[in-house]
Amino acid sequence: MAWFMLGLLVDVQLPGGESVADLFSATKALLDFVYMAQYSVHSGATLVALERSLSEFHAKKDVFIRLGIRDNFLLPKLHMMTHYVRAIKLYGTTDNYNTESTERLHIDFAKEAYRATNHKDEFPQMTQWLERRKKMLQHANYVEWRLLRVQREQRDLIAARQEIHWRPPDMACPLHHLMTKHPSRKAVPVAELVSSQGYGATFFRAALARFVVEFDNPALARNDVEAQALQVRFPFATLPVFHKIKFRNVKYHDKETLDSIHARPRQIGQNDEVLIPARFDTALVRVRQSENLEARNGLAGKIPFNSVSNNTHM
């Protein structure tokens, strides 16, 4: 329609001897505004031209009243044109805007609702029909969501049964132990360490005494170590304790924890309920000695402190 409109108005004969110039100018100004508003790129000059064309239309629009086409110009779309320049400056160009969404909603909310009435006092009927339709759609969406959720839970359960939750890491590479900077408990009484209700390291005192003797006198025979260990006295009553040792290989596995050893007693609440159960992992520890020490002892592969093998979790 916009393509042919000006061509039809060029030589149209208006009643009452009215000049076609004002009608032509008003129509041209409105068409200019419509086309310039669709630009995909705007500048200061195009926005000024957009405002100028709208001002020209308002200056010439009285011709439609004189011709009896309209009594007033109280039109929402005509009022919206006054906000176009400001909206373009704030939100960008209008090349992606159209009225298809509102036209489609008019079909759903007006035409179909009207067809569902008896065409008498239709407004309350349309409102009630739309409300019931909305509730039905919401219920249908809820039922579909529940069915999909049940199916997803069943698939997850089957996958969980088939999935291997944990695989042992590749232990072919050497492991390096890593411990926290500060102990888990700073001062644990030795009595708690050796108690069966605590850490359960029953032979801790004897094993530590033998280790001290062998460390100070690596050339002593086994019987001499046992004899001197009985004379060792410790000048402390508490010791710091670490509850976890981690093993890593940064070269091949970065900061991934490949293995770990836990050693912690159970924690009891106020009502004698077990808050955290005890955990003492079994570990096989190999202590390598220097070649000179092994030569002096004459025992290749001798492992000091081996009497603590029954309490490896400490």
Side-chain angles (χ1 to χ4, degrees), residues 108-163:
D108 293 337
F109 295 157
K111 292 184 177 180
E112 293 185 0
Y114 180 77
R115 296 190 190 103
T117 67
N118 60 1
H119 303 170
K120 296 179 180 180
D121 192 19
E122 65 278 355
F123 185 75
Q125 299 181 53
M126 293 170 62
T127 305
Q128 188 175 15
W129 182 84
L130 289 171
E131 183 179 359
R132 291 177 177 175
R133 183 167 176 263
K134 182 178 180 180
K135 291 180 179 179
M136 292 173 62
L137 291 174
Q138 290 178 341
H139 182 70
N141 291 334
Y142 174 76
V143 172
E144 183 179 2
W145 172 74
R146 288 292 302 173
L147 293 175
L148 292 175
R149 184 177 179 181
V150 170
Q151 295 176 2
R152 184 169 60 251
E153 290 177 351
Q154 292 177 349
R155 290 196 302 267
D156 294 343
L157 182 60
I158 295 174
R161 291 175 178 174
Q162 298 176 350
E163 181 183 0

Side-chain angles (χ1 to χ4, degrees), residues 3 28 32 39 47 67 69 94 106 117 129 134 168-170 175-176 184 187-188 199 201 216 232 281 290 294 302 313:
W3 291 355
K28 176 180 177 299
D32 289 342
Y39 283 178
L47 294 178
L67 293 174
I69 300 175
T94 62
H106 178 71
T117 67
W129 182 84
K134 182 178 180 180
D170 183 11
L175 302 180
H176 309 285
S184 304
V188 179
Y199 287 85
D216 292 338
V232 175
D281 295 342
S290 64
E294 292 177 357
K302 175 186 175 184
H313 55 262

